[in-house]
Structure formats: structure tokens, C-alpha cells
């Protein structure tokens, strides 16, 4: 006998909002039922005594299944919930009234959902999702609900509906779930295709060619390894069939890919459920004009150095897939932003294969050849502490790092802020070394801010900044004796007191919005970016 979860059913006919039906059924999974809806002893929205009373029907109610198959108290962060609706009439089910809600639901909450009148507090807990019907009468119907974001490990969520009325609680597993690949392309808010999606992770993936369909009612296609062709071994892409067309009314449609790919241990991965949407007009790449010291690189420009190439992208969002010279990299680049190809062998020929994808999924394939230069110094502004816990401006500092392979001579080098320039001491700065530019009265260990290691080079100057470094953020530039900008740091984001502005990696390029982030100060040490910031 099939067991069904006892919930309060409501089969009152309501107008069904038309949604496309899924082209492919869900993968069968073992049945897991949620417990009977129980009101918690303390309601979180000012409930009264009647909220503690929940009708206990004898009639069987909807059942809940999770894809990929998992217990309801250990569900994966990326999932689809399928609610079985035995005997339900088509007009009694309204997919537009199905919700995913963070936290538990009380009887009062469920009445709000049934009435379609959500309080502000409950609305703020709703997780974006889409829902659709599977099957047609006279057979049994099922309702699929797909969250459009990864759910938080260890948190409880409710899968609920106002027509028919039901609510199931699930808990997200804290461990053991497949890793989630981030959706890299098309870019958020700029998608112009339903036929291409790219997800990437941190580790190479096995070869795969698997049929896949975007749901509900989206184009069919395949999941393959690689962002473009064979470039990007740590990525998977969805390629829609060439003859596939968008569903009617596709301008407002939201579609999701499968929640899991490469099923089975240990290869399984989940796919970020950010939906496929037509959010933008196609934004083709128009080649930018290159400076005399740059070379054309596809629609962008490249400045070749010793162990790196600085690339300036075109004024459109682009996905760059690059292979050759030891590379197999994929970059999602905002309009006009730079990125860096590194490391490369100095004084060597470089041959690269490029695939550049615009937001409509159009691919441009190119090749690039160049000769890298001899080893050189690369002095960068690596971290800035403008608002220390200790006294200002005495405990402020700017950290420099020589990311090159040869010593750097700082004779004539200046640090410039909005108010003027400060000349640095004429010292030789060794490769791989850190230096702190500090005021003359700086105290290495004031017992308030993190101290630098004893071997850190201190470059004491009469005045750091025109009036100290601005707590509200200001751009800084490091310039050589000829006025050429060697490195720069931005005015934002603005750190909290005691926090620093740190470059996310030595190769992170100047001028990119993602190159700097707030961090705990690490003077004279490698920046640690994955720390929890209060």
C-alpha cells in the first residue's frame, strides 16, 4: 500500500494560470513524506491560540518527492520538489501560488498563503522559485517546484501552496551534498539566449555528453564538458538543439536546467539554478581600438609583459575561453574590464586558441601569437589600512608587493592620493617581498592592529597621504619617476574600522571592480580573502 502524508487538502477550483508543461518527466526517486503540519509552540508572527490548532483530516493529502532523491531532513542545496496530487482536478491547481519559504510555516502563515495575502515579514522569507504541472487528467497530476537559488545548508524551508493548500518542511544537509557549480554564462541580468548556459567549478570534470531539457517546456539539448568546445575542463555547458525555439511568450519565461549532473559518486555535481531568461537584447562584441603598445586579441587588446598578458576586453559582456601555453581558463568579463593571463614563461613564444562568446551565445574563434618579454619587476599596491583601530594617521599603512621575478628600484617612485604625492625611499625591493609605506611615528606592534612580521620592510615617510588616508575611501596610485602608473587601488569598497582594502590576488588587474575586497588586515603577509567579515 502506498503511504500518503496526512495534510489538509483543499480542492476548491480556482482559475489555473497557464504555464508550459515540462517536456520531460522527473527522474523517479524513492518516496519521502514530510511530517504532518505542526504549529510550533511559539509563532513568529504574533499568532494566537487558534493558530495552534490544525485540522487533522482523515483524507490522504499530497506527497512530496525530492530530486535528486534524498531524505527530507537532508535535502541537497539545489533541488526540485515534486508534490503528487492524486485525483486533483486540473482547475484546482494553481502553480503560480506555490512557494518556497525560508523557515517553518505556522497555520497562520498557511492561511495567508491560501488567501494570497502575505504579510511583509512572510514575503521577505519567500525564495524565488518557479512551479509547473506534470501530467494531464484523467491521470494523476504532480506539481514541480524549483527554487531559483541554492538553499542554505542546515536551514529549514517550506514547500507550500495556496491552491491546493499544503505545506511540507524540508531541511538542507550540512554535508555530503554534491558541490555546486557556479553559473558563469550568460551573465546575470543580461541573458539573450535560452540555448546556452555555462557552469564552472574549481576542479576538472570528467568527460560527459548527456541529454538535458530546460524546464518547464524549454529547449532540449545536451550537457557537455567545456565552456566552448574542449576549452574549460572545469566547466559544463548546456547547448540547446540548433532547431530548438523559445516557448511562446519567451520574453518573460524563466527556465531551469537539471539540478544535478554527472550523477553517481564521487563525480556528481549540482548546477546553480539561476534561471535562463531573455533579459537583454543581443550585445555583440565590437573590437576596441588598441594603443601603440597593445596587440589585438580577438575583440580586445593585449599588453604583453614577461610572465603575463594584460587583456582589455571589448565594451560588451563577454565569456573568454582560452587554451594554450599551459592555459585552460574561462573568464566572464564585464564590459570594458581587464583580466590577466598568468603565469607565462618569460622570453618565450606564446600561441593561444581563443573562443569569445557574447550574451546571445554567438561564438567567435581566434588565435593569438606573441613573444613574452624578459623578466621584470611588478610592484603593486596590495593592501591599504586607512582606518586602523590605533591612532590615526600614525597607524595607517599602504602595503606594496613585488610580484615580479627581479628586484625593483624605488628611486623616484611616488605614492599619490587626491591631495598630492609622497616620494618613497630609494631602496631595492626584492621579488616576492612585502613593504609597508608608513608614517614616521608608526609603531609595529601597538597591540591594537595586527603587526607585520619582523622581516617586513618599513618605508617610513614624513607624511602618508596629504592629510592621512581617507576613512571614506580614496584612490591611490603608485607612479614611477616618469609619471607612469605602476599600480593603483580604488576608492571602494570602503572597509569598516579596523578592516583593510585588499587585492584578491597579486595578478588581479587594476581597474577591475572585483580586484579588491574588504579583509582582515594582513600586513607583510599573503592576503586571506575567505575570512568571515563582521
Amino acid at each position: 500500500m502506498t503511504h500518503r502524508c496526512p495534510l489538509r487538502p483543499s480542492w476548491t477550483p480556482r482559475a489555473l494560470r497557464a504555464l508550459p508543461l515540462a517536456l520531460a518527466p522527473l527522474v523517479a526517486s524513492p518516496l519521502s513524506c514530510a511530517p504532518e503540519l505542526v504549529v510550533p509552540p511559539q509563532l513568529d508572527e504574533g499568532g494566537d491560540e487558534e493558530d495552534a490548532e490544525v485540522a487533522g483530516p482523515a483524507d490522504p493529502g499530497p506527497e512530496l518527492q525530492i530530486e535528486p532523491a534524498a531524505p527530507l531532513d537532508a535535502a541537497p542545496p539545489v533541488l526540485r520538489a515534486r508534490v503528487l496530487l492524486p485525483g486533483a482536478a486540473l482547475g484546482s491547481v494553481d502553480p503560480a501560488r506555490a512557494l518556497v519559504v525560508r523557515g517553518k510555516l505556522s497555520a497562520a502563515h498557511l492561511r495567508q498563503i491560501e488567501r494570497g495575502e502575505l504579510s511583509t515579514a512572510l514575503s521577505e522569507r519567500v525564495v524565488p522559485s518557479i512551479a509547473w504541472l506534470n501530467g494531464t487528467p484523467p491521470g494523476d497530476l504532480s506539481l514541480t517546484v524549483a527554487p531559483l537559488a541554492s538553499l542554505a545548508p542546515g536551514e529549514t524551508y517550506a514547500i507550500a501552496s495556496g491552491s491546493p493548500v499544503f505545506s511540507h518542511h524540508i531541511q538542507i544537509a550540512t554535508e555530503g551534498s554534491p558541490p555546486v557549480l557556479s553559473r558563469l554564462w550568460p551573465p546575470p541580468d543580461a541573458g539573450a539566449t535560452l540555448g546556452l548556459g555555462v557552469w564552472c567549478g574549481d576542479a576538472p570534470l570528467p568527460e560527459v555528453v548527456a541529454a538535458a531539457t530546460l524546464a518547464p517546456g524549454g529547449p532540449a539539448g545536451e550537457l557537455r564538458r567545456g565552456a566552448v568546445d574542449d576549452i574549460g575542463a572545469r566547466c559544463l555547458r548546456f547547448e540547446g538543439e540548433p532547431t530548438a525555439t523559445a516557448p511562446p511568450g519567451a520574453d518573460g519565461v524563466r527556465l531551469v536546467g537539471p539540478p544535478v549532473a554527472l550523477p553517481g559518486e564521487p563525480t556528481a555535481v549540482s548546477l546553480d539554478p539561476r534561471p535562463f531568461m531573455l533579459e537583454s537584447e543581443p550585445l555583440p562584441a565590437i573590437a576596441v581600438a588598441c594603443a601603440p603598445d597593445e596587440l589585438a586579441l580577438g575583440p580586445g587588446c593585449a599588453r604583453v609583459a614577461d610572465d603575463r598578458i594584460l587583456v582589455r576586453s571589448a565594451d560588451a559582456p563577454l565569456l573568454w575561453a582560452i587554451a594554450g601555453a599551459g592555459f585552460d581558463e574561462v573568464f566572464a568579463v564585464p564590459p570594458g574590464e581587464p583580466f590577466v593571463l598568468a603565469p607565462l614563461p618569460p622570453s618565450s613564444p606564446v600561441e593561444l586558441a581563443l573562443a569569445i562568446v557574447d550574451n546571445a551565445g554567438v561564438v567567435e574563434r581566434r588565435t593569438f601569437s606573441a613573444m613574452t618579454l624578459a623578466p621584470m619587476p611588478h610592484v603593486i599596491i596590495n593592501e591599504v589600512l586607512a582606518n586602523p583601530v590605533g591612532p590615526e594617521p600614525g597607524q595607517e599603512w599602504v602595503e606594496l608587493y613585488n610580484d615580479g621575478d627581479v628586484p625593483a628600484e624605488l628611486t623616484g617612485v611616488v605614492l599619490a592620493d587626491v591631495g598630492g604625492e609622497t616620494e618613497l625611499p630609494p631602496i631595492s625591493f626584492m621579488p616576492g617581498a612585502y613593504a609597508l609605506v608608513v608614517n614616521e611615528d608608526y609603531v609595529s606592534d601597538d597591540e591594537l592592529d595586527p603587526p607585520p612580521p619582523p622581516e617586513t620592510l618599513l618605508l617610513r615617510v614624513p607624511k602618508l597621504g596629504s592629510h592621512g588616508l581617507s576613512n571614506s575611501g580614496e584612490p591611490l596610485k603608485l607612479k614611477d619617476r616618469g609619471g607612469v602608473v605602476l599600480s593603483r587601488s580604488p576608492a571602494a569598497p570602503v572597509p569598516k574600522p579596523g578592516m583593510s582594502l585588499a587585492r584578491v590576488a597579486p595578478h588581479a588587474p587594476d581597474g577591475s571592480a572585483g580586484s579588491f575586497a574588504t579583509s582582515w588586515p594582513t600586513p607583510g603577509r599573503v592576503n586571506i580573502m575567505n575570512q568571515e567579515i563582521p
Side-chain angles (χ1 to χ4, degrees), residues 235-378:
C235 301
L236 286 177
R237 73 181 181 275
F238 169 77
E239 286 186 340
E241 295 176 353
T243 57
T245 58
D251 285 351
V253 77
R254 295 182 297 174
L255 304 173
V256 290
V260 68
L262 307 172
E265 295 292 344
T267 60
V269 292
S270 293
L271 302 180
D272 175 359
R274 176 166 66 87
F276 289 69
M277 301 175 65
L278 297 181
E279 307 156 291
S280 168
E281 296 296 322
L283 301 171
I286 299 175
V288 298
C290 295
D293 61 342
E294 294 179 318
L295 299 175
L297 182 70
C301 297
R303 181 173 286 110
V304 179
D306 52 345
D307 63 346
R308 66 198 68 185
I309 298 175
L310 178 64
V311 183
R312 183 164 54 93
S313 191
D315 194 21
L318 292 174
L319 184 76
W320 292 75
I322 302 175
F327 279 101
D328 180 30
E329 295 294 337
V330 179
F331 303 89
V333 184
E337 289 225 348
F339 63 96
V340 174
L341 301 179
L344 293 168
S347 306
S348 301
V350 172
E351 300 284 341
L352 299 175
L354 313 173
I356 305 101
V357 188
D358 67 18
N359 71 326
V362 177
V363 181
E364 177 184 353
R365 294 172 175 83
R366 295 287 186 90
T367 59
F368 177 78
S369 301
M371 175 69 73
T372 56
L373 305 180
M376 61 180 63
H378 294 279

Side-chain angles (χ1 to χ4, degrees), residues 40 44-45 98-106 109-110 113 118-129 145 147-160 167-172:
D44 57 6
E45 285 198 318
L99 302 174
V100 179
V101 181
R102 177 176 46 82
K104 292 186 176 182
L105 292 181
S106 69
H109 296 139
L110 197 56
I113 295 172
L118 274 60
S119 67
T120 300
L122 184 57
S123 297
E124 290 174 348
R125 293 167 49 191
V126 173
V127 177
S129 64
V145 185
L148 300 181
S150 296
L151 304 182
E155 294 291 323
T156 297
Y157 293 85
I159 311 296
S167 176
H168 288 282
H169 288 130
I170 62 173
Q171 186 168 10
I172 308 305

Side-chain angles (χ1 to χ4, degrees), residues 408-500:
E409 299 299 328
L410 297 187
T411 303
V413 173
V414 299
L415 182 66
D417 67 356
V418 294
E421 297 180 347
T422 299
E423 186 170 350
L424 303 185
I427 57 94
S428 182
F429 190 19
M430 301 305 292
Y434 295 89
L436 292 188
V437 184
V438 297
N439 287 284
E440 289 181 336
D441 57 349
Y442 172 78
V443 178
S444 294
D445 190 359
D446 66 349
E447 299 183 353
L448 294 173
D449 295 290
E455 66 274 13
T456 304
L457 184 63
L458 298 182
L459 305 181
R460 296 186 182 271
V461 295
K463 185 173 62 173
L464 180 57
S466 56
H467 299 287
L469 302 177
S470 172
N471 292 348
S472 59
E474 64 177 324
L476 299 176
K477 296 178 182 179
L478 192 69
K479 299 192 292 186
D480 69 12
R481 67 176 69 190
V484 175
V485 176
L486 302 174
S487 181
R488 68 183 75 213
S489 65
V494 179
K496 297 178 180 179
M499 308 300 292
S500 69

Side-chain angles (χ1 to χ4, degrees), residues 34-265:
E36 182 177 347
L37 178 64
V38 178
V39 179
Q42 294 183 344
L43 300 177
D44 57 6
E45 285 198 318
D48 51 31
E49 289 297 327
E50 68 175 340
D51 291 326
E53 298 177 5
V54 180
D59 296 333
E63 301 171 358
L64 178 65
Q65 295 177 342
I66 295 294
E67 182 196 359
L72 298 187
D73 61 355
V78 178
L79 57 84
R80 293 181 188 174
R82 183 169 68 165
V83 182
L84 307 183
L85 305 171
L90 184 63
S92 71
V93 185
D94 187 354
R97 298 184 62 194
L99 302 174
V100 179
V101 181
R102 177 176 46 82
K104 292 186 176 182
L105 292 181
S106 69
H109 296 139
L110 197 56
R111 285 196 292 272
Q112 293 180 36
I113 295 172
E114 183 178 9
R115 294 192 302 264
E117 299 173 350
L118 274 60
S119 67
T120 300
L122 184 57
S123 297
E124 290 174 348
R125 293 167 49 191
V126 173
V127 177
S129 64
I130 57 174
W132 64 89
L133 281 169
N134 304 282
T136 56
D140 286 341
L141 297 175
S142 66
L143 178 67
T144 297
V145 185
L148 300 181
S150 296
L151 304 182
E155 294 291 323
T156 297
Y157 293 85
I159 311 296
S161 170
S163 179
V165 178
F166 63 78
S167 176
H168 288 282
H169 288 130
I170 62 173
Q171 186 168 10
I172 308 305
T174 56
E175 56 184 21
S177 298
V180 180
L181 301 187
S182 298
R183 174 84 174 281
L184 208 61
W185 205 255
D189 303 320
T193 177
L194 301 178
L196 175 70
V198 178
W199 298 262
C200 296
D202 297 327
L205 300 169
E207 292 278 1
V208 62
V209 179
T213 300
L214 301 185
E222 293 181 330
L223 282 176
R224 292 178 174 268
R225 188 181 76 168
V228 182
D229 302 329
D230 294 327
I231 305 176
R234 56 186 180 85
C235 301
L236 286 177
R237 73 181 181 275
F238 169 77
E239 286 186 340
E241 295 176 353
T243 57
T245 58
D251 285 351
V253 77
R254 295 182 297 174
L255 304 173
V256 290
V260 68
L262 307 172
E265 295 292 344

